[in-house]
Amino acid sequence: GRYQESLDKLQQAEKTETHSVTINYLTALNHFRMKDYSRAIERFQATLRIDPKFALATFYLGMAQVQTNDIDGATVSFERSLELDATNFTAAYNLGAAYLKKGRVDPALRQFQRAVEFNPQYAQAHAARGELFLYLKRPEDAARALERAVELAPRASKAHYNLGQAYQALGRTADAQKEFERAKTVASDQ
């Protein structure tokens, strides 16, 4: 479709501008959107050889690495992305997720917190914090984070379910049942 058409135009432009940051980046982004992650990684890396401080290319390199299950590479890319742009809350969230996949719970929690600090409206980061607090047997913290998550994203069934678990751990049985029911209702609507 249109990504392939865009790639064709970029390949034509590349014939005259072989070391263009813009052409390499846009080519990588098209490959990423077409789910051709190996080629996307190659082109993001080529972009970064030309401009090592291109924060967005570093971020998307990490995203492509996650898709190819290169969690170590993604971790390095997200860390670098945050060095270049400390306010990239999505990079912080994804770094937290990468840490979590590697079993590094405390650094994951710090990154989810960082994501929330940079964007208090980021429901996914609140939900991730809440789920991690449940895992750490901190139900009060989990309930606070998950209440915020469902407030921001009322259609997030997993957040409702996890909030129910937090309430159950706190002995709030009636509230827990309401959240379990909301989780079912939301899930069946999707």
Side-chain angles (χ1 to χ4, degrees):
R2 72 174 198 226
Y3 294 126
Q4 187 58 53
E5 184 179 321
S6 177
L7 275 173
D8 293 343
K9 289 178 182 178
L10 287 164
Q11 285 173 342
Q12 288 298 315
E14 193 170 31
K15 290 178 182 176
T16 58
E17 296 184 52
T18 55
H19 296 293
S20 167
V21 170
T22 304
I23 291 172
N24 272 291
Y25 175 70
L26 291 175
T27 300
L29 205 52
N30 275 286
H31 284 300
F32 183 84
R33 290 183 175 146
M34 293 171 66
K35 299 183 182 351
D36 184 352
Y37 300 114
S38 296
R39 279 190 159 148
I41 288 168
E42 289 171 15
R43 294 311 286 259
F44 284 128
Q45 289 171 334
T47 302
L48 292 166
R49 281 192 293 276
I50 299 166
D51 182 358
K53 293 187 176 185
F54 194 159
L56 206 49
T58 306
F59 169 74
Y60 274 106
L61 173 59
M63 296 295 286
Q65 289 166 319
V66 166
Q67 294 299 320
T68 61
N69 211 28
D70 178 7
I71 304 306
D72 290 334
T75 300
V76 170
S77 294
F78 292 134
E79 287 171 344
R80 176 70 176 141
S81 180
L82 286 164
E83 287 173 17
L84 297 169
D85 178 5
T87 64
N88 185 337
F89 60 90
T90 310
Y93 172 83
N94 283 292
L95 178 56
Y99 282 151
L100 202 52
K101 285 183 180 184
K102 294 172 71 170
R104 298 181 61 200
V105 174
D106 290 335
L109 186 57
R110 282 193 297 276
Q111 292 306 317
F112 294 146
Q113 179 61 37
R114 182 179 188 177
V116 165
E117 288 169 4
F118 287 125
N119 183 355
Q121 305 301 310
Y122 195 16
Q124 199 171 353
H126 286 285
R129 287 178 62 240
E131 192 168 349
L132 207 44
F133 284 136
L134 275 175
Y135 172 78
L136 294 170
K137 308 275 190 256
R138 293 170 53 186
E140 288 178 10
D141 292 327
R144 275 193 295 279
L146 292 160
E147 285 166 351
R148 184 69 177 133
V150 299
E151 176 185 326
L152 294 167
R155 313 248 346 115
S157 64
K158 186 175 180 184
H160 281 290
Y161 178 80
N162 287 335
L163 181 54
Q165 287 188 313
Y167 285 158
Q168 198 165 39
L170 292 169
R172 295 172 56 184
T173 308
D175 291 331
Q177 288 306 315
K178 286 179 191 172
E179 290 305 321
F180 292 142
E181 285 303 316
R182 283 188 187 117
K184 282 185 205 172
T185 302
V186 169
S188 68
D189 289 347
Q190 294 175 350

